[in-house]
Each structure stands twice: as structure tokens, then as C-alpha cells.
Amino acid sequence: MPGKNVHRMSSHELLEVECPSCRAKQDIVIWKSLNVTRDPELKEQFFTGKINYFTCGSCDFEGFITAPLVYDDMEKKICANYVPIEYLEDEEYLKQSFTPDAEIRLELPDDTARIAEMDYFRHAHMVFSMAELIRYVLFRDRLGQVFSEN
Ligand SMILES: [Zn+2]
């Protein structure tokens, strides 16, 4: 069923990942969404590049996992989505996650105030690398700081 509402929760799963370099397998926690208003400690991990980062226990390979990630700051109304370029091949993922106009697909409530509140989430900023996701959030946080100083 399309229109799954994944809004407002941090979520993760434990997955077995194969090292792209040496093929050794290890379990890693993969975050699908970060709600930094509810889970502020995740934000620190996110900024220091610890979220969805794979460090191989058998060789010296390390790097970000190729998995979509939603960053949601309800308080500041900042939402950004990392879409790995490989996922453009995944029709199911695209259809379930987005509308044809690249909005986030959501089950909207009947309540107009709630719909307005979710507007920033529906119009999430899309990025295609984890590094860019981190930079974009830094940029938005910095703008928030600069404009609240006066
Ligand atoms: Zn390895």
C-alpha cells in the first residue's frame, strides 16, 4: 500500500551488511529516519558522521551506508531526505516514498491545521549524498541562529 505514514518517529533496524571491499559480514544499525526534536542525542551522532556509517571489522574499509535517510526537525520545521542514487532503480521505493512532483507521500489527516503543520515535511529538501545531508542541516541550523540573534 502506498501512502505509508512514516512521519514523526525515529526508526532504525539492525541489518547484516557485507563489506564492499573484503565481503566480511557484520551487523549494523541502519537508521531510516531521525526525529531530532524527539531524539536530540541523534543529532550529535548525525553531525559527527556516526549515523549509517560502516567501519569494517576485518579490513580498513569505511564509508556511509547506501540507505535512504529522513532528517526531521519538527521544532525548526527542517526536513531533508537523503536518496541514494542507486535507489532511482527501485520503482517500489520511489512510488511509496514520493508523489510525481517529488513531494513526500503522506497520509494526510482531515484537519487543515495539521496538514499545514506537515507542509515542511511534505516539501522536504532532497539530497543525494550523506555528506550533503549533513551540510544542508548545518546550513539551515546556521540560518536559524543568524536570524534569531537580533
Ligand atoms: Zn572489509
Coordinates of all heavy atoms in Angstrom, one line a residue, residues 26-68:
Q26 N 28.9 -8.0 8.8 CA 28.7 -7.6 10.1 C 27.4 -6.9 10.3 O 26.8 -6.4 9.4 CB 29.9 -6.8 10.6 CG 29.9 -5.4 10.2 CD 31.2 -4.7 10.5 OE1 32.3 -5.1 10.2 NE2 31.1 -3.6 11.2
D27 N 26.8 -7.0 11.6 CA 25.6 -6.4 11.9 C 25.8 -4.9 12.1 O 26.7 -4.5 12.8 CB 24.9 -7.0 13.1 CG 24.4 -8.4 12.8 OD1 24.2 -8.7 11.6 OD2 24.2 -9.2 13.8
I28 N 24.9 -4.1 11.6 CA 25.0 -2.6 11.8 C 23.6 -2.1 11.9 O 22.6 -2.5 11.3 CB 25.8 -1.9 10.6 CG1 25.8 -0.4 10.8 CG2 25.3 -2.4 9.3 CD1 26.7 0.3 9.9
V29 N 23.5 -1.1 12.8 CA 22.2 -0.4 13.0 C 22.0 0.6 11.8 O 22.9 1.5 11.6 CB 22.1 0.4 14.3 CG1 20.9 1.2 14.4 CG2 22.2 -0.6 15.5
I30 N 21.0 0.5 11.1 CA 20.7 1.4 10.0 C 19.5 2.3 10.3 O 18.4 1.7 10.5 CB 20.5 0.7 8.7 CG1 21.8 -0.1 8.4 CG2 20.2 1.6 7.5 CD1 21.9 -0.7 7.0
W31 N 19.7 3.6 10.4 CA 18.7 4.5 10.7 C 17.9 4.8 9.4 O 18.5 5.0 8.3 CB 19.2 5.8 11.3 CG 19.7 5.5 12.7 CD1 20.9 5.2 13.1 CD2 18.9 5.6 13.9 NE1 21.0 5.0 14.4 CE2 19.8 5.3 15.0 CE3 17.6 5.9 14.1 CZ2 19.3 5.2 16.3 CZ3 17.1 5.9 15.5 CH2 18.0 5.5 16.5
K32 N 16.6 4.8 9.5 CA 15.7 5.2 8.3 C 15.3 6.6 8.5 O 15.1 7.3 7.5 CB 14.5 4.3 8.3 CG 14.9 2.9 8.0 CD 13.7 2.0 8.1 CE 13.8 0.7 7.5 NZ 12.6 -0.1 7.6
S33 N 15.0 7.0 9.7 CA 14.6 8.4 9.9 C 15.1 8.9 11.3 O 15.2 8.1 12.2 CB 13.1 8.6 9.8 OG 12.5 7.8 10.8
L34 N 15.4 10.2 11.4 CA 15.9 10.8 12.6 C 14.9 11.9 12.9 O 14.8 12.8 12.1 CB 17.3 11.4 12.4 CG 18.4 10.5 11.9 CD1 19.7 11.3 11.8 CD2 18.6 9.3 12.9
N35 N 14.3 11.8 14.1 CA 13.4 12.9 14.5 C 14.2 13.6 15.6 O 14.2 13.1 16.8 CB 12.1 12.4 15.0 CG 11.2 13.5 15.5 OD1 11.7 14.5 16.0 ND2 9.9 13.4 15.3
V36 N 15.0 14.6 15.3 CA 15.9 15.2 16.3 C 15.2 16.0 17.3 O 15.8 16.4 18.3 CB 17.0 16.0 15.6 CG1 17.8 15.1 14.6 CG2 16.4 17.2 14.8
T37 N 13.9 16.3 17.1 CA 13.2 17.0 18.2 C 12.9 16.0 19.3 O 13.1 16.3 20.5 CB 11.9 17.6 17.6 OG1 12.2 18.4 16.5 CG2 11.1 18.5 18.6
R38 N 12.5 14.8 18.9 CA 12.2 13.8 19.9 C 13.5 13.1 20.5 O 13.5 12.7 21.6 CB 11.4 12.7 19.3 CG 9.9 13.2 19.1 CD 9.0 12.0 19.3 NE 7.6 12.6 19.1 CZ 6.7 12.0 18.4 NH1 6.9 10.9 17.8 NH2 5.5 12.5 18.4
D39 N 14.5 13.0 19.6 CA 15.7 12.3 20.0 C 16.9 13.2 19.7 O 17.7 12.9 18.8 CB 15.9 11.0 19.2 CG 14.6 10.1 19.3 OD1 14.3 9.8 20.5 OD2 14.0 9.7 18.3
P40 N 17.1 14.2 20.5 CA 18.2 15.2 20.3 C 19.6 14.6 20.3 O 20.5 15.1 19.6 CB 18.0 16.2 21.4 CG 17.0 15.7 22.3 CD 16.3 14.6 21.7
E41 N 19.8 13.5 21.0 CA 21.1 12.8 21.1 C 21.5 12.3 19.7 O 22.7 12.2 19.4 CB 21.2 11.8 22.1 CG 20.4 10.5 21.8 CD 18.9 10.5 22.0 OE1 18.4 11.6 22.4 OE2 18.2 9.5 21.7
L42 N 20.5 12.0 18.8 CA 20.9 11.5 17.5 C 21.5 12.6 16.6 O 22.2 12.3 15.7 CB 19.6 11.0 16.8 CG 19.0 9.7 17.4 CD1 17.7 9.4 16.6 CD2 20.0 8.6 17.2
K43 N 21.2 13.9 17.0 CA 21.7 15.0 16.1 C 23.2 15.1 16.2 O 23.9 15.3 15.2 CB 21.0 16.3 16.6 CG 21.3 17.4 15.7 CD 20.4 18.6 16.0 CE 20.8 19.8 15.2 NZ 19.9 20.9 15.3
E44 N 23.7 14.9 17.4 CA 25.2 14.9 17.7 C 25.8 13.8 16.9 O 26.8 14.0 16.2 CB 25.4 14.7 19.2 CG 26.9 14.6 19.6 CD 27.6 15.9 19.4 OE1 27.0 17.0 19.5 OE2 28.9 15.8 19.2
Q45 N 25.2 12.6 16.9 CA 25.8 11.5 16.2 C 25.7 11.8 14.7 O 26.6 11.4 13.9 CB 25.0 10.2 16.4 CG 25.2 9.7 17.8 CD 24.5 8.3 17.9 OE1 24.6 7.4 17.1 NE2 23.7 8.2 19.0
F46 N 24.7 12.4 14.3 CA 24.5 12.7 12.8 C 25.6 13.7 12.4 O 26.2 13.5 11.4 CB 23.1 13.3 12.6 CG 22.8 13.9 11.3 CD1 22.6 13.1 10.2 CD2 22.8 15.3 11.1 CE1 22.4 13.6 8.9 CE2 22.6 15.8 9.8 CZ 22.4 15.0 8.8
F47 N 25.8 14.8 13.1 CA 26.7 15.8 12.7 C 28.2 15.3 12.7 O 29.0 15.7 12.0 CB 26.7 17.0 13.7 CG 25.6 18.0 13.3 CD1 24.8 18.6 14.2 CD2 25.3 18.3 11.9 CE1 23.8 19.5 13.9 CE2 24.3 19.2 11.6 CZ 23.6 19.8 12.5
T48 N 28.4 14.3 13.6 CA 29.8 13.8 13.7 C 29.9 12.6 12.7 O 30.9 11.8 12.8 CB 30.2 13.4 15.1 OG1 29.2 12.5 15.6 CG2 30.3 14.6 16.0
G49 N 28.9 12.4 11.9 CA 29.1 11.3 10.8 C 29.0 9.9 11.3 O 29.6 9.0 10.7
K50 N 28.3 9.7 12.4 CA 28.3 8.3 13.0 C 27.0 7.6 12.6 O 26.9 6.4 12.8 CB 28.4 8.4 14.5 CG 29.7 8.9 15.0 CD 29.9 8.6 16.5 CE 31.3 9.0 16.9 NZ 31.5 10.5 17.1
I51 N 26.0 8.3 12.1 CA 24.8 7.7 11.6 C 25.0 7.0 10.3 O 25.5 7.6 9.3 CB 23.6 8.7 11.6 CG1 23.3 9.3 13.0 CG2 22.4 8.1 10.9 CD1 22.6 8.4 13.9
N52 N 24.6 5.7 10.2 CA 24.7 5.0 8.9 C 26.1 5.0 8.4 O 26.3 5.0 7.1 CB 23.7 5.5 7.9 CG 22.3 5.2 8.3 OD1 22.0 4.6 9.4 ND2 21.3 5.6 7.5
Y53 N 27.1 4.9 9.3 CA 28.5 4.9 8.8 C 29.0 3.5 9.1 O 28.9 3.0 10.3 CB 29.3 5.9 9.6 CG 30.7 6.2 8.9 CD1 30.8 7.0 7.8 CD2 31.8 5.6 9.4 CE1 32.0 7.2 7.2 CE2 33.0 5.8 8.8 CZ 33.1 6.6 7.7 OH 34.3 6.8 7.1
F54 N 29.6 2.8 8.1 CA 30.1 1.5 8.3 C 31.6 1.5 8.4 O 32.3 2.1 7.6 CB 29.7 0.7 7.0 CG 30.2 -0.7 6.9 CD1 29.5 -1.7 7.5 CD2 31.4 -1.0 6.2 CE1 30.0 -3.0 7.4 CE2 31.9 -2.3 6.1 CZ 31.2 -3.3 6.7
T55 N 32.1 0.8 9.5 CA 33.5 0.6 9.6 C 33.7 -0.9 9.7 O 33.2 -1.6 10.6 CB 34.0 1.2 11.0 OG1 33.6 2.6 11.0 CG2 35.5 1.1 11.1
C56 N 34.4 -1.4 8.7 CA 34.6 -2.8 8.6 C 35.6 -3.3 9.7 O 36.6 -2.7 10.0 CB 35.2 -3.2 7.3 SG 35.4 -5.0 7.1
G57 N 35.2 -4.5 10.4 CA 36.0 -5.0 11.4 C 37.1 -5.9 10.9 O 38.0 -6.3 11.7
S58 N 37.0 -6.2 9.6 CA 38.0 -7.2 9.0 C 39.1 -6.5 8.1 O 40.1 -7.1 7.9 CB 37.3 -8.3 8.2 OG 36.3 -8.9 9.1
C59 N 38.7 -5.4 7.6 CA 39.7 -4.7 6.7 C 39.6 -3.2 7.1 O 38.9 -2.8 8.0 CB 39.4 -4.9 5.2 SG 38.1 -4.0 4.5
D60 N 40.3 -2.3 6.3 CA 40.3 -0.9 6.7 C 39.2 -0.1 6.0 O 39.2 1.1 6.0 CB 41.7 -0.3 6.6 CG 42.2 -0.4 5.1 OD1 41.4 -0.9 4.3 OD2 43.3 -0.1 4.9
F61 N 38.2 -0.8 5.4 CA 37.2 -0.1 4.6 C 36.2 0.7 5.6 O 35.8 0.1 6.6 CB 36.4 -1.0 3.8 CG 35.3 -0.3 3.0 CD1 35.5 0.3 1.8 CD2 34.0 -0.2 3.5 CE1 34.6 1.0 1.1 CE2 33.0 0.5 2.9 CZ 33.3 1.1 1.6
E62 N 35.9 1.9 5.2 CA 34.8 2.6 6.0 C 34.1 3.5 5.0 O 34.7 4.0 4.0 CB 35.3 3.3 7.2 CG 36.5 4.3 7.0 CD 37.0 4.8 8.3 OE1 36.3 5.5 9.0 OE2 38.2 4.5 8.6
G63 N 32.8 3.8 5.3 CA 32.1 4.7 4.5 C 30.6 4.7 4.9 O 30.2 3.8 5.6
F64 N 29.9 5.7 4.3 CA 28.4 5.7 4.6 C 27.7 4.6 3.9 O 28.1 4.2 2.8 CB 27.8 7.0 4.2 CG 28.1 8.2 5.1 CD1 29.0 9.2 4.7 CD2 27.5 8.2 6.4 CE1 29.3 10.3 5.6 CE2 27.8 9.2 7.3 CZ 28.7 10.3 6.9
I65 N 26.7 4.1 4.6 CA 25.9 3.0 4.0 C 25.0 3.6 3.0 O 24.5 4.8 3.1 CB 25.0 2.5 5.2 CG1 25.8 1.8 6.2 CG2 23.9 1.6 4.7 CD1 26.3 0.4 5.9
T66 N 24.7 2.9 1.9 CA 23.8 3.3 0.9 C 22.4 3.0 1.3 O 21.8 1.9 0.9 CB 24.1 2.6 -0.4 OG1 25.5 2.9 -0.7 CG2 23.3 3.1 -1.6
A67 N 21.8 3.9 2.1 CA 20.4 3.6 2.6 C 19.7 5.0 2.7 O 20.3 5.9 3.3 CB 20.4 2.9 3.9
P68 N 18.5 5.1 2.3 CA 17.8 6.4 2.4 C 17.7 6.8 3.9 O 17.5 6.0 4.7 CB 16.4 6.1 1.8 CG 16.5 4.8 1.1 CD 17.6 4.1 1.7

